[in-house]
Amino acid sequence: MRQLAMLALLMTLVAPGAAFAVQPDEILKDPVLEGRARELSRELRCMVCQNQSIDDSDAPLARDLRLLVRQRLQAGDSDRQVIDFLVARYGEFVLLKPRLEAHTLLLWGLAPAALLVAVIGLLLMARRRRPAPSQAEPLSPDEQKRLATLVGPSAGEP
């Protein structure tokens, strides 16, 4: 009985990772086309959820996009043609990973540029920083007199 309870607990913990939003009526009969559809669906952003792929989203729009991907594949479109069709219809935002093109260079280049500026700034700060002197300079006679008056006559003498 205890083993059965442990198995049920394990299945409960593992099952959410295996759950997908794709409904049984969406799945294509051809396993090759279905594999391509699933791969494409993982690359496309749900316009409602925004940080989920349409493969993971339960939103009605995501379902419509999954069906559209499958229709385009059944019509004979290549993966690139399906992606191009969706980008033309919904814009670059539909892609979870934007393409590296002239108008997305800022998006792709800003993070490495910021990292480079930070590293250069840290190196410049490290170069300008002076090392602490290894040995303190001895006090001048005037400084010794001032210290003696502040501390008192018995502090420094044995």
Side-chain angles (χ1 to χ4, degrees), residues 1-7:
M1 186 66 179
R2 188 174 195 181
Q3 289 177 344
L4 185 60
M6 291 298 285
L7 181 63

Side-chain angles (χ1 to χ4, degrees), residues 28-42:
L28 298 172
K29 295 193 186 319
D30 183 357
V32 174
L33 280 181
E34 180 59 28
R36 285 177 55 204
R38 294 301 287 268
E39 192 62 38
L40 287 170
S41 294
R42 288 185 196 101

Side-chain angles (χ1 to χ4, degrees), residues 15-122:
F20 293 105
V22 178
Q23 303 299 314
D25 63 328
E26 297 175 35
I27 297 175
L28 298 172
K29 295 193 186 319
D30 183 357
V32 174
L33 280 181
E34 180 59 28
R36 285 177 55 204
R38 294 301 287 268
E39 192 62 38
L40 287 170
S41 294
R42 288 185 196 101
E43 297 174 18
L44 298 170
R45 180 188 317 272
C46 173
M47 306 301 273
V48 176
C49 306
Q50 295 190 6
N51 284 330
Q52 264 188 323
S53 70
I54 63 172
D55 196 49
D56 297 329
S57 175
D58 287 325
L61 180 60
R63 175 182 164 82
D64 293 343
L65 288 173
R66 288 191 302 265
L67 291 172
L68 182 60
V69 166
R70 284 166 171 75
Q71 288 170 358
R72 301 293 297 194
L73 289 174
Q74 285 177 323
D77 284 2
S78 68
D79 292 358
R80 179 71 179 189
Q81 288 172 322
V82 173
I83 295 289
D84 289 343
F85 174 79
L86 291 169
V87 167
R89 193 170 191 182
Y90 296 102
E92 288 276 332
F93 187 70
V94 77
L95 300 175
L96 278 173
K97 182 180 174 187
R99 298 173 179 163
L100 182 59
E101 294 179 352
H103 65 281
T104 59
L105 281 178
L106 183 63
L107 173 70
W108 284 102
L110 196 57
L115 180 64
L116 182 65
V117 167
V119 167
I120 290 172
L122 287 173

